[in-house]
RNA sequence: GCGCCCGUAGCUCAGUUGGAUAGAGCGUUUGACUACGAAUCAAAAGGCCACGGGUUCGAAUCCUGUCGGGCGCACCA
């Protein structure tokens, strides 16, 4: 059993059901069905470790007061051999369960035994899940939104991996379509400018300095070879060079941010392989399309969308929607993913219904596709909103963020917030306050533990293969609180995976760090009675393991010194 | 106008399936280093959970209306 919280919940469920059935048999309770036992964790310590509201739920059908029912259930509970110390009835009819020492001992043993694998659970059963995230346009550098998407997608991927899924991280390269045209025209303009010609970057083109850089590099490589070439060939050569270079940079920047993809998927290959064309034909044959104004439309409204959209433009080119449908068919049908998660900025939310509709139209269960929308990042300088402009190409890039704020702080920051909350990112503040960033609080806890363990080793004390440790000696409040939090990691992973909420893990590890610091300030490890010291070594080492595992999951450094 | 997301302490934000006295960090105030790292800890102050109605034993959470903010509603992606 990987998840001790689940284990004790199962124990409670079983004993409660047994007790109710027993009471029914003895005529103490008169009910038809036993409600499902919902176990929750009370916020208040005075209400025990786990509690159920079963008696309150049963009150109506049993025609008895909740407290009376609770009494009957409680009397029938067999606590021997379980991890429950005692049960109390409180408030309107809650039954509060208190955990005993066995629970704490078992939790610590499990962490020690599992080590770097502690926290892993198997709710995924090896199901193939793909997480597609960032997928920034390869026409320029990545911005703060990509930084958020990267932190979110990568953390979610790790969590699903820990939860027992077979995870594929994927980056979709939009190397086809309109913006590539614009990219080519922009590069061409800069190239010709460098050759002394009086041309301008076209309307809606890319004005950033990076375009000028690419053009310069291209000029160095090929000189004026393309000056008088056929414009189409010229743009093709420029685009080919620019894309290659930009994609390399995307990879470099993302790697510096701690992200490594399993698959870089090129949109262009979908056109070349004929998959786009074939999926358009499939929709056509199924009768889900019609022609209007010389364009081919997809009847999305049949599948719950608000309006129909164009699949093939009047000029014969397929839209992004057509390639995206082909892409998702490729994910499900050709590559056989059981579950696909796309992480998109909230500005793309209108795209969700069309995609789900298309899945339905293709006979793919749309529930296998989850789109995680994250609200946008607004860049601030103090109280001022920093406008990012495509026209002027002025923006703060992911690379700037890594250089100025640091990978660890940035990833932690983005993963502290739920995807649903819009964030204001104050660059000045982030740099200025980086020393009191929460990430250091967690890293500091880790470094502190390593420091203690180092010194113990210097004292000649074995900290790794401790024998005959009596973990029951750990009964200070600070110790118990810490152990219980550590025991919760597998459950936390489970919930984070089910709710696709990486920020839970970040919050969790902050709690762990906080409880450790409290422990540190009230209990000593070195210099106490040897038996107690041994038990505490096990505790802090378990804490170290938990922090390390979670930071690894978030791809944040776990320093031994800082 | 229609759709999606949001509105919780001075600020930034948590709050899984509806639960008991709504939490944390920052900031403010007051304490704690002659013993393992003070990047830490302990304590205090701070709230009509935007507002009104409803559902029920019980609502920050679900439904509905209003107000305020963000984002969509292209033959761009």
């Amino acid at each position: 059993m990987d998840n001790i919280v689940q284990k004790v919940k199962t124990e409670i469920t079983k004993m409660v059901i047994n007790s109710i059935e027993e009471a029914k048999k003895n005529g103490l309770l008169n009910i038809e069905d036993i409600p499902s036992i919902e176990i929750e964790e009370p916020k208040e310590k005075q209400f025990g470790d786990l509690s159920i509201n079963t008696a309150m739920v049963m009150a109506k059908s049993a025609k008895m007061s909740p407290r009376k029912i609770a009494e009957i259930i409680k009397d029938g509970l067999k606590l021997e051999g379980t991890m429950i110390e005692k049960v109390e009835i409180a408030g309107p009819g809650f039954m509060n369960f208190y955990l005993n020492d066995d629970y704490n001992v078992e939790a610590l043993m499990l962490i020690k035994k599992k080590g770097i694998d502690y926290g892993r659970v198997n709710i995924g059963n090896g199901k193939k899940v793909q997480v597609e995230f960032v997928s920034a346009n390869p026409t320029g550098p990545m911005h703060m939104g990509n930084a958020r998407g990267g932190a979110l997608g990568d953390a979610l991927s790790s969590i699903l991996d820990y939860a027992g899924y077979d995870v594929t991280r994927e980056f979709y390269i939009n190397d086809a379509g309109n913006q590539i045209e614009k990219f080519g025209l922009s590069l061409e303009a800069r190239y010709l400018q460098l050759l002394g010609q009086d041309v301008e970057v076209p309307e809606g083109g890319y004005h950033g300095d990076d375009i000028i850089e690419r053009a310069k590099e291209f000029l160095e490589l090929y000189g004026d070879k393309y000056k008088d070439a056929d414009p189409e060939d010229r743009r093709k050569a420029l685009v080919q060079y620019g894309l290659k270079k930009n994609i390399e940079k995307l990879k470099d920047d993302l790697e510096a941010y701690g992200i490594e993809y399993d698959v870089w998927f090129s949109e262009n290959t979908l056109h070349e392989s004929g998959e786009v064309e074939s999926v358009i034909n499939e929709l056509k044959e199924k009768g889900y399309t019609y022609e209007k104004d010389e364009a081919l439309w997809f009847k999305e409204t049949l599948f719950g969308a608000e309006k129909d959209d164009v699949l093939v433009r009047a000029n014969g080119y397929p839209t992004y929607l057509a390639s995206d449908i082909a892409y998702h068919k490729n994910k499900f049908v050709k590559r056989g993913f059981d579950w696909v998660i796309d992480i998109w900025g909230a500005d793309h939310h209108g795209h969700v219904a069309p995609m789900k509709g298309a899945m339905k139209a293709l006979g793919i269960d749309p529930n296998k596709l989850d789109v995680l929308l994250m609200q946008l990042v607004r860049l601030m300088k103090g109280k001022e909103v920093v406008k990012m402009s495509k026209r002027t190409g002025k923006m703060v890039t992911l690379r700037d963020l890594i250089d100025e704020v640091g990978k660890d702080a940035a990833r932690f920051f983005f993963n502290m917030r739920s995807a649903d909350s819009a964030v204001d990112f104050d660059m000045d503040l982030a740099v200025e306050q980086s020393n009191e960033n929460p990430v250091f609080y967690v890293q500091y806890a880790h470094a502190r533990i390593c420091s203690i363990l180092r010194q113990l080793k210097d004292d000649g004390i074995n900290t790794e293969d401790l024998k005959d440790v009596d973990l029951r000696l750990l009964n200070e409040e600070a110790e118990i609180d810490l152990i219980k939090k550590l025991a919760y990691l597998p459950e936390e992973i489970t919930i984070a995976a089910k709710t696709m909420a990486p920020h839970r893990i970040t919050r969790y590890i902050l709690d762990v760090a906080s409880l450790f610091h409290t422990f540190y300030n009230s209990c000593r490890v070195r210099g106490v009675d040897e038996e107690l010291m041994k038990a505490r070594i096990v505790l802090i080492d378990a804490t170290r393991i938990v922090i390390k595992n979670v930071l690894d999951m978030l791809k944040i450094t776990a320093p031994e010194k800082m």
Side-chain angles (χ1 to χ4, degrees), chain A residues 278-313:
Chain A
S278 123
V279 85
I280 291 169
N281 287 334
E282 184 178 345
L283 292 171
K284 222 189 269 181
E285 280 158 22
K286 288 185 168 167
Y288 298 146
T289 62
Y290 59 91
E291 289 196 31
K292 193 179 87 180
D293 303 331
E294 290 172 52
L296 185 73
W297 295 70
F298 171 40
K299 293 188 200 170
E300 289 159 34
T301 38
L302 287 176
F303 305 99
E306 281 178 29
K307 55 173 189 57
D308 294 336
D309 268 313
V310 170
L311 283 177
V312 183
R313 298 197 281 257

Side-chain angles (χ1 to χ4, degrees), chain A residues 361-419:
Chain A
L362 295 172
I364 298 165
D365 180 1
N367 292 320
K368 287 178 159 186
L369 171 66
D370 270 306
V371 179
L372 191 54
L373 293 173
M374 52 164 197
Q375 298 301 309
L376 302 176
V377 179
R378 204 164 52 154
L379 198 62
M380 309 290 284
K381 255 190 180 326
K383 291 267 174 214
E384 296 286 308
V385 179
V386 181
K387 288 267 183 218
M388 297 220 228
S389 160
K390 191 175 169 186
R391 198 184 55 73
T392 62
K394 242 184 97 177
M395 60 186 285
V396 175
T397 66
L398 171 64
R399 181 55 83 167
D400 297 334
L401 178 69
I402 298 169
D403 291 345
E404 289 178 38
V405 178
K407 174 197 72 154
D408 291 345
R411 292 187 64 123
F412 202 85
F413 174 85
F414 285 123
N415 272 318
M416 270 176 55
R417 282 145 179 84
S418 83

Side-chain angles (χ1 to χ4, degrees), chain A residues 38-264:
Chain A
E38 306 287 344
I39 301 173
E40 58 194 67
E41 293 112 37
K43 286 175 282 196
E44 298 283 330
K45 234 189 245 179
Q46 55 163 317
F47 298 132
D49 297 301
L50 294 163
S51 81
I52 58 172
N53 61 357
T54 309
M56 283 143 78
V57 175
M58 287 168 62
K60 221 171 217 176
S61 62
K63 297 196 180 82
M64 286 172 84
S65 81
R67 287 195 71 106
K68 181 74 194 161
I69 296 169
E71 289 291 347
I72 293 169
I73 296 174
K74 184 186 166 189
D75 287 344
L77 293 176
K78 297 187 180 72
L79 301 182
E80 306 84 45
T82 72
M83 293 187 281
I84 302 302
E85 174 81 36
K86 59 172 178 172
V87 182
E88 281 176 0
I89 296 165
F94 288 103
M95 296 178 68
N96 299 329
F97 293 76
Y98 293 77
L99 300 169
N100 63 22
D101 287 351
D102 291 348
Y103 177 86
N104 298 331
V105 170
E106 198 169 317
L108 288 175
M109 304 278 280
L110 183 67
I111 297 168
K112 199 167 162 51
K113 191 178 117 203
K114 291 256 178 181
I116 56 169
D117 286 326
Y118 176 67
R120 289 194 177 272
V121 291
N122 188 17
I123 61 166
N125 259 316
K127 264 173 71 176
K128 278 183 70 178
V129 55
Q130 182 211 51
V131 184
E132 184 220 317
F133 58 104
V134 182
S135 299
N137 270 332
T139 51
M142 288 171 286
H143 50 70
M144 296 299 279
N146 298 135
R148 185 181 194 181
L152 180 62
D154 200 45
L156 178 61
S157 299
S158 296
I159 287 163
L160 293 172
D161 176 39
Y162 261 69
Y165 289 91
D166 176 7
V167 180
T168 298
R169 290 170 167 85
E170 185 154 321
F171 188 112
Y172 182 55
I173 309 167
N174 293 108
D175 53 359
N178 228 313
Q179 81 278 3
I180 294 299
E181 292 291 312
K182 295 267 167 64
F183 183 52
L185 289 166
S186 308
L187 283 167
E188 181 180 47
R190 294 303 194 191
Y191 174 69
L192 293 175
Q193 280 173 6
L194 290 170
L195 288 167
Q197 296 190 19
D198 186 20
V199 287
E200 287 200 6
V201 177
E203 186 71 27
Y206 297 95
H207 294 255
D209 292 343
D210 55 294
I211 299 286
I212 300 174
E213 261 177 64
R214 290 299 91 75
K216 274 187 190 157
E217 292 157 6
F218 186 82
L219 182 66
E220 264 175 47
L221 277 171
Y222 300 103
D224 62 0
K225 183 179 162 193
Y226 286 94
K227 187 178 176 190
D228 301 312
D230 174 48
E232 207 165 302
D233 292 343
R234 179 166 59 211
R235 286 197 291 273
K236 208 171 157 191
L238 277 158
V239 164
Q240 196 186 12
Y241 172 79
L243 276 183
K244 184 169 168 282
K245 185 81 187 188
N246 276 357
I247 291 168
E248 275 169 21
K249 285 183 91 79
L250 290 178
K251 284 188 188 179
D252 286 350
D253 289 353
L254 287 165
E255 203 176 310
Y257 198 43
I259 301 175
E260 276 186 60
Y261 285 94
D262 300 300
V263 178
W264 288 76

Side-chain angles (χ1 to χ4, degrees), chain A residues 317-332:
Chain A
Y317 288 110
T319 58
Y320 77 97
L321 177 62
S323 24
D324 235 15
I325 293 172
Y327 179 39
H328 281 79
K329 182 178 176 185
N330 175 291
K331 294 183 185 193
F332 285 109

